[in-house]
Amino acid sequence: MMHTAREEEPMDETTVDAIVAAAAAAAKPWAALGSADRAGVLRGIADRLDAHAEELIALAMRETHLSEPRLTAELQRTGFQLRLFAWTVLDGGYLDVRIDTADPDWPMGAPRPDLRRMNIPLGPVLNFAASNFPFAFSVAGGDTAAALAAGCPVIVKASPGHPLLSRAVADLIEQALLECGAPSGTFGLVLGREAGVQVLTHPAITAAAFTGSTAGGRALYDLACRRPVPIPFYGELGSINPVFVTEQAARTRAEEIAAGLLTAVSSSAGQLCTKPGLVAVPADAPVLGALSDLIRTRPVPTGELLNEAIAAGFAAVVRQVRDHADVELLAGGGPDEALLLATTARAVLADRDGLLHEMFGPATLLVTYRNTAELLDLARAVGGQLTATVFGEQADETTRALIAAAVDVAGRVLWNSWPTGLSVTYAQQHGGPYPATTAPSSTSVGTASISRFLRPVVYQSVPEDLLPLELRTGNPLSVPQSVNGAPTR
Amino acid sequence: MMHTAREEEPMDETTVDAIVAAAAAAAKPWAALGSADRAGVLRGIADRLDAHAEELIALAMRETHLSEPRLTAELQRTGFQLRLFAWTVLDGGYLDVRIDTADPDWPMGAPRPDLRRMNIPLGPVLNFAASNFPFAFSVAGGDTAAALAAGCPVIVKASPGHPLLSRAVADLIEQALLECGAPSGTFGLVLGREAGVQVLTHPAITAAAFTGSTAGGRALYDLACRRPVPIPFYGELGSINPVFVTEQAARTRAEEIAAGLLTAVSSSAGQLCTKPGLVAVPADAPVLGALSDLIRTRPVPTGELLNEAIAAGFAAVVRQVRDHADVELLAGGGPDEALLLATTARAVLADRDGLLHEMFGPATLLVTYRNTAELLDLARAVGGQLTATVFGEQADETTRALIAAAVDVAGRVLWNSWPTGLSVTYAQQHGGPYPATTAPSSTSVGTASISRFLRPVVYQSVPEDLLPLELRTGNPLSVPQSVNGAPTR
C-alpha cells in the first residue's frame, strides 16, 4: 500500500515519519526498476487521469474556482507531460552517459583508466504543490513526473487550496504504481505546513521543489540550506514577467498589443506565474490610449480568485502599489475586472522596492518610458524573471539591445508573443535568476527538468559484467552514449 | 590592465570592490567573445605555464614543500586541463542546444511555438583556490579554466599557502588575456580571508567554487545561501574515501593491496582529497599482518606537510582519532612516516562522529570487519564521499552488493585501483553527496565541470537573424544541436 494522508485524521509527526521512511525504503527498488517499468508507471498515471477526467475536473472546479475549459486543457497538458517523461525515460539521453576508454597515452601525462559515467537518482524528493495549477503543478504535476522519471520516490506536500482533488489524484497514482509492481512508499502525500517542514528537514530527503510566494519559498529554501546535510532546493518564488514594447511596435500595433495584453493579464484570473505584471510602453505612444479605450468599452472579466488567502494577498499587494505616490489608476479595478495601473520608468528606477511586486491576480503596471536609454535601463533593473518579452520590429536596432537585456534577466525570452501559455517540450526552460528561481541552472517545465533529481557517478576500471547495462560497451539498452568525447548511439 | 592583488599593499575593501566592479564590467564583453577567442585564451594560459615551468616549479617547491616530480606532473596536468577546456569550448556540446520547431499539432493540446534553448554564462565567478594543488586547483586550475571556458569572468581568492606563486600565475593569465583582446577585469586575484568574504557576498558575484575543509567550506556555503540573492556554491568539503577489501581479495592479494595502500596514503604527504582514509579489511585476513610487516621493514617516507596550519590541523585530528578508546596504533607515526591506525567496524558503527574524520595527511584508519553483513553496514554508514573503492574478485557475489553501496555514497567508484591520481577526461566525475560536496550534481574535474557556471535560456518565436548563431537553423557554427528531441549535428 502507498502511504498517503487521510483527510479525516490530523497528520501527526509519526504518520509523516512513516511516509518518509517508506519513501526511503522504496528508493533502491524503485531506482532498480527498468526504464520500461518506470515509463509504464508514468503512462499508467496519465491514463488514469484521462479516465477520471470528468470527476477530477468537477472536483477541481469546486475547490479552485477555475473554469472548466481551463481545467480541461490543464488536465490534458498534465497527461501529456507524464507521457513525455515516459518517452524521456525510454530515450535515456537524460542519463548523460559518458565513456572514456583506457588510454595509455592520454596527454594529461598519465595513462587514462577506463571511466564510465551516468546519472543516477538522487533519492527521495519532496514536492511542494502549487495552488494555481491543480493538475499541472500539483500532485501529478511536472516535478512529480520528473522525479518519478528520474527514479526517485516522491512525497508531495499538498496545496491547501485543493485537498480533496489532491487526495483523488494521489489515489490514482497509487493505483498506477501498484499495477506496475512499484514498491510501496514510492509515492506519498502529506498535508499541512508543519508536515511539509518536517519532511523538508528529514535526513532521508535529498531534494525539494517548490512553486509559490517569494516569502514562503525563501523560508523553505533557508531551511533546506541550514540542514546538517543541505539539499538542493528548486524554488520558483515569483516573477513580474516584464514586457517591453518598442516605440516602433507601439506606433504600428497599439490595438493588437492592447488586446493581447488584456487577455494575458486576465486569463486564469491573472494567477499565472508568467502573467505580465509590468508593461513598458513609450510615453507618447497610443498604446495607453488604446488600452484605456478597450477596457472602458469592454471591461475584462476575470473570474473569482483561487481562494481567500490568495484574494487577500492580491488585495494587499495591489493596495501597496496603487497607493504609491507615483502610481495612477488607469482602468478597471471593479469587482472581477482586470486592473491597470500606470507609472513612469523614472519612478520605477527611483523606487524599485516600492513598485516592483508580483501581483498574483488580474493586474498589471503600465510603465511609460521617454526614450530608448530609459527603456534599456528599466529592462536591466527588473531583477530575475521567469520570462521577459519584447514587442518590436525586426529591422529596429533597439530590439537587439532589448533582447540582450531580456536574456540577462530571464529564463525565457519571447518575441511578439505573450508569456502566458507554457509549452511542455524538449527545449522549454522555465526558470531564471533569483527570485524567479533559487536554482537558475534548472527548469521546472520540459524534459530537461529531470536533471533536478539526478547526480552523476563514474565507474573506474569496473569490469563489464559489474557495470550497469547503460555503461556497457555493447550498449545493450541503446541509450545515447558519448564515447571519448564524441556523441554516438 | 587586469586587476590583481599587490602583495606589498594590504588589500583594502576599496581595492576588492574595484576588482569585483571590473569583473562585472567584463562579463558582457567576455561572454560576447567568440568560442575561438575564448579557446585561444585558455591555450595562451597553458602555453605560458609551460614556458615558465622552471621558475613556477621552483617557486611552488619553496612555498609548498611538494616534490619537483609531483609539481612537474601537476603543472603538465594543469596545462592539459586548460587545453581540454579549449576543446570543450570549440566543440560546443556544453551549450546543450535544443531546438523545438513550431508544431501546430503538438499533442499537449496547444500549438507548440518555436523554442530554442542554449546555455549562457552565469556571470562573475569567485574561485577559492586550494592549498594542496598549487597549480591544478589553484589560480589557473580547474574551476578557473571551467569558468573562463563558460564565458564568466573569474576572481580567484588565493590560497594563503602559496601567495607568490599565485601572483606569478595570475600575471601569466593577465598576459594571455591581454594578448587575446579580452576585456580588462576578466580575471582578478584577491588575497586574505576578509577579501574572500567580501567578494562572496558582493551582489555582482553569481557563483562560487571552493575546495578545502568542511568547517571553512560550510561557513562560506552558509554565507552564499544567506545572501539577499543566494548563489550556487560548489564546495568540496572533505572526504574519507573508504576502501573496501573483500575477504577473497584480502586472502589472495594481501601484499599487493598493502603495498598499494601505503603508496596511496603517503603520496603527496597524504594531502590529497582522494587519499584513502579508511580501509576495511576482514578481521582474520593477512592484510593487517602484511601491512605491519611492510611498514616495519620499510618505513614509508612522506615528506613535509604543505604548511604549518595544515600540519597543526593534521596533528589535532590524528590525536583525536588515535586517542579514541577503540583505536590502536598499528604502525608508523614517527617523523615523516605514514601512520596506520586500526579499529573495528563495530566501533565505527557505534561512534561514527568519533571515528570518521578526514585526516589531511599521511594517515589512514584500518577497520576490521567480521563478516560481509558488517562490511556492507560499514559501507552504508560512511556518509558522502568523493570516492569509494572496492578490492574484490569478479566472481564473488559480495562485490556486486559492495559496488552498489559504493555508488550510494560516492561520486567515483573504483575497482581494484587506488583513488589517488585523478584523470582529467570527458567522463570524469569529481564530486559526491555532502559533505564530499555541497552540490552532488556537479563535478570539479573533467569537461562536465563547465556546467557549474552556466544557465539555460530559451528564445520563443524569435526571428533567425535576432538569434545567437548557435541556435540558427543552418547551424553555422556546427555545434551539436538536439532538434525536436533528437540529437544531430
Side-chain angles (χ1 to χ4, degrees):
Chain A
M1 218 204 66
M2 304 296 124
H3 288 71
T4 56
R6 310 218 162 275
E7 202 209 4
E8 58 274 21
E9 307 162 11
M11 188 164 262
D12 56 27
E13 278 188 37
T14 314
T15 309
V16 174
D17 254 344
I19 291 171
V20 180
K28 286 254 130 339
W30 174 241
L33 275 190
S35 49
D37 287 330
R38 285 223 298 280
V41 164
L42 294 163
R43 287 180 178 141
I45 299 171
D47 291 345
R48 278 177 171 77
L49 292 178
D50 286 352
H52 294 80
E54 208 175 319
E55 65 201 73
L56 292 174
I57 289 168
L59 206 46
M61 285 174 71
R62 190 137 54 86
E63 288 193 311
T64 68
H65 308 140
L66 293 170
S67 72
E68 185 171 352
R70 157 75 158 75
L71 289 166
T72 303
E74 191 191 325
L75 186 58
Q76 180 178 353
R77 166 190 170 168
T78 306
F80 169 75
Q81 192 159 266
L82 287 154
R83 294 186 180 100
L84 192 64
F85 275 110
W87 175 89
T88 302
V89 171
L90 292 173
D91 174 71
Y94 77 98
L95 298 167
D96 190 21
V97 170
R98 298 168 182 232
I99 295 175
D100 295 330
T101 54
D103 182 351
D105 302 317
W106 187 235
M108 191 185 111
R112 182 175 78 184
D114 185 276
L115 289 164
R116 291 166 190 250
R117 180 187 198 258
M118 67 182 281
N119 285 324
I120 63 170
L122 264 185
V125 162
L126 169 63
N127 170 14
F128 289 87
S131 59
N132 58 335
F133 279 87
F135 295 120
F137 281 82
S138 190
V139 178
D143 280 316
T144 298
L148 289 177
C152 299
V154 181
I155 295 171
V156 173
K157 189 277 185 186
S159 162
H162 45 271
L164 295 175
L165 179 66
S166 298
R167 164 64 49 74
V169 173
D171 286 345
L172 297 177
I173 295 176
E174 272 190 36
Q175 289 169 23
L177 285 163
L178 270 177
E179 186 183 82
C180 297
S184 163
T186 301
F187 178 82
L189 185 72
V190 301
L191 296 162
R193 204 187 159 283
E194 293 72 19
V197 168
Q198 189 187 337
V199 179
L200 180 63
T201 53
H202 194 290
I205 296 297
T206 58
F210 168 91
T211 306
S213 72
T214 306
R218 180 63 194 247
L220 294 172
Y221 169 85
D222 289 344
L223 280 176
C225 293
R226 260 189 248 126
R227 292 166 44 117
V229 173
I231 57 172
F233 184 87
Y234 302 105
E236 190 185 314
L237 308 193
S239 180
I240 295 173
N241 306 295
V243 174
F244 308 108
V245 182
T246 66
E247 292 181 358
Q248 285 198 16
R251 214 163 22 239
T252 55
R253 287 182 279 147
E255 283 79 13
E256 179 199 326
I257 292 170
L261 171 62
L262 288 179
T263 305
V265 168
S266 60
S267 59
S268 286
Q271 301 160 136
L272 298 174
C273 305
T274 54
K275 183 210 69 186
L278 184 158
V279 184
V281 292
D284 56 356
V287 174
L288 283 178
L291 272 171
S292 301
D293 290 350
L294 260 184
I295 209 162
R296 254 196 304 274
T297 53
R298 179 165 60 83
V300 182
T302 58
E304 205 173 337
L305 295 189
L306 282 162
N307 55 53
E308 281 176 26
I310 281 174
F314 179 59
V317 70
V318 160
R319 199 178 313 121
Q320 195 183 341
V321 177
R322 191 176 173 161
D323 289 352
H324 194 283
D326 293 320
V327 170
E328 58 169 326
L329 175 67
L330 196 67
D336 293 347
E337 254 183 47
L339 177 74
L340 297 182
L341 302 169
T343 189
T344 64
R346 186 157 51 169
V348 173
L349 291 167
D351 185 13
R352 291 196 278 177
D353 290 346
L355 287 165
L356 297 179
H357 292 283
E358 185 181 35
M359 298 182 285
F360 198 64
T364 197
L365 182 65
L366 278 285
V367 179
T368 53
Y369 63 87
R370 293 169 301 182
N371 52 50
T372 302
E374 211 174 61
L375 175 61
L376 289 171
D377 284 347
L378 179 69
R380 293 179 190 121
V382 292
Q385 304 291 340
L386 292 170
T387 73
T389 300
V390 175
F391 278 88
E393 305 291 332
Q394 213 167 322
D396 182 359
E397 265 312 302
T398 307
T399 58
R400 209 170 276 278
L402 260 182
I403 288 178
V407 167
D408 281 352
V409 297
R412 181 162 57 116
V413 173
L414 299 100
W415 172 257
N416 287 339
S417 45
W418 296 96
T420 48
L422 183 62
S423 200
V424 181
T425 76
Y426 313 111
Q428 188 55 280
Q429 172 59 22
H430 190 59
Y434 189 92
T437 70
T438 58
S441 300
S442 88
T443 177
S444 69
V445 176
T447 58
S449 65
I450 194 172
S451 303
R452 293 176 162 211
F453 307 118
L454 300 166
R455 70 173 175 92
V457 66
V458 68
Y459 294 73
Q460 179 169 331
S461 306
V462 175
E464 281 274 318
D465 76 333
L466 292 175
L467 284 172
L469 296 172
E470 293 87 345
L471 297 182
R472 297 196 185 171
T473 300
N475 198 3
L477 298 184
S478 287
V479 296
Q481 294 182 332
S482 178
V483 179
N484 298 328
T488 171
R489 185 166 202 149
Chain B
M1 217 202 71
M2 305 295 124
H3 289 72
T4 56
R6 309 217 161 276
E7 202 210 6
E8 59 275 19
E9 306 161 11
M11 189 165 263
D12 58 28
E13 279 189 36
T14 313
T15 309
V16 173
D17 256 342
I19 292 172
V20 180
K28 287 252 132 337
W30 174 240
L33 274 190
S35 49
D37 286 330
R38 285 224 297 281
V41 164
L42 293 164
R43 286 181 178 141
I45 298 171
D47 291 345
R48 277 179 173 76
L49 293 178
D50 285 352
H52 295 79
E54 206 174 322
E55 64 201 74
L56 293 174
I57 289 168
L59 206 45
M61 287 174 69
R62 191 137 54 86
E63 289 192 309
T64 67
H65 307 140
L66 293 170
S67 72
E68 185 170 354
R70 156 75 159 75
L71 289 165
T72 303
E74 191 191 325
L75 186 58
Q76 181 179 352
R77 165 190 172 168
T78 307
F80 170 75
Q81 190 159 268
L82 287 154
R83 294 187 181 100
L84 192 64
F85 275 109
W87 175 89
T88 302
V89 172
L90 292 173
D91 173 70
Y94 77 97
L95 298 167
D96 190 22
V97 169
R98 297 167 182 232
I99 296 176
D100 295 331
T101 54
D103 182 352
D105 302 318
W106 187 232
M108 190 184 112
R112 183 175 77 184
D114 186 277
L115 289 164
R116 291 166 190 251
R117 180 188 199 256
M118 67 183 282
N119 286 324
I120 62 170
L122 266 185
V125 163
L126 169 62
N127 170 13
F128 289 87
S131 59
N132 59 334
F133 280 87
F135 294 121
F137 281 79
S138 189
V139 178
D143 281 316
T144 297
L148 289 176
C152 299
V154 181
I155 295 171
V156 173
K157 189 275 183 189
S159 163
H162 45 269
L164 294 176
L165 179 66
S166 299
R167 164 64 48 76
V169 173
D171 285 346
L172 297 177
I173 295 176
E174 271 190 36
Q175 290 170 22
L177 285 164
L178 269 177
E179 186 183 81
C180 297
S184 162
T186 301
F187 179 83
L189 185 73
V190 301
L191 296 162
R193 204 187 160 285
E194 293 73 18
V197 168
Q198 188 187 339
V199 178
L200 180 63
T201 53
H202 194 290
I205 296 298
T206 58
F210 169 90
T211 306
S213 72
T214 306
R218 179 65 193 246
L220 294 171
Y221 169 84
D222 289 345
L223 280 176
C225 293
R226 261 189 247 127
R227 292 166 43 117
V229 173
I231 57 172
F233 184 87
Y234 303 104
E236 189 185 313
L237 308 193
S239 181
I240 294 172
N241 306 296
V243 174
F244 308 109
V245 182
T246 66
E247 293 180 358
Q248 284 198 16
R251 214 160 27 236
T252 56
R253 287 182 279 147
E255 283 78 13
E256 180 199 325
I257 292 170
L261 171 62
L262 289 179
T263 304
V265 169
S266 61
S267 59
S268 285
Q271 300 159 136
L272 299 174
C273 305
T274 54
K275 182 210 71 185
L278 183 157
V279 184
V281 292
D284 56 356
V287 175
L288 284 178
L291 272 170
S292 299
D293 290 351
L294 260 184
I295 209 164
R296 254 195 305 275
T297 54
R298 179 164 59 82
V300 183
T302 59
E304 204 172 339
L305 295 189
L306 281 161
N307 55 53
E308 281 176 25
I310 282 173
F314 178 59
V317 70
V318 160
R319 199 178 314 120
Q320 196 182 340
V321 178
R322 190 176 174 163
D323 288 352
H324 194 284
D326 294 320
V327 171
E328 58 169 327
L329 175 67
L330 197 69
D336 292 348
E337 252 183 48
L339 177 73
L340 296 182
L341 302 168
T343 188
T344 65
R346 186 156 52 168
V348 173
L349 291 167
D351 185 13
R352 290 196 278 177
D353 290 345
L355 285 166
L356 296 179
H357 292 281
E358 184 180 38
M359 299 182 283
F360 198 64
T364 197
L365 183 64
L366 277 284
V367 180
T368 52
Y369 63 86
R370 292 169 301 180
N371 50 51
T372 302
E374 210 175 62
L375 175 61
L376 289 170
D377 284 346
L378 180 70
R380 293 179 189 121
V382 292
Q385 303 291 340
L386 292 171
T387 72
T389 300
V390 176
F391 277 88
E393 304 292 331
Q394 214 167 320
D396 181 358
E397 266 312 301
T398 307
T399 58
R400 208 170 279 276
L402 260 182
I403 288 178
V407 167
D408 281 352
V409 296
R412 181 161 58 115
V413 172
L414 300 100
W415 172 258
N416 286 339
S417 45
W418 296 96
T420 47
L422 182 62
S423 199
V424 181
T425 76
Y426 312 111
Q428 189 55 279
Q429 172 59 22
H430 190 59
Y434 189 92
T437 70
T438 58
S441 299
S442 88
T443 177
S444 69
V445 176
T447 58
S449 65
I450 193 172
S451 303
R452 295 176 160 210
F453 307 118
L454 300 166
R455 70 174 174 92
V457 65
V458 68
Y459 294 73
Q460 180 169 331
S461 306
V462 175
E464 281 275 318
D465 76 331
L466 292 175
L467 284 172
L469 296 173
E470 292 86 346
L471 297 183
R472 297 198 185 170
T473 300
N475 199 2
L477 298 185
S478 287
V479 295
Q481 294 182 331
S482 176
V483 179
N484 299 326
T488 171
R489 187 166 200 147

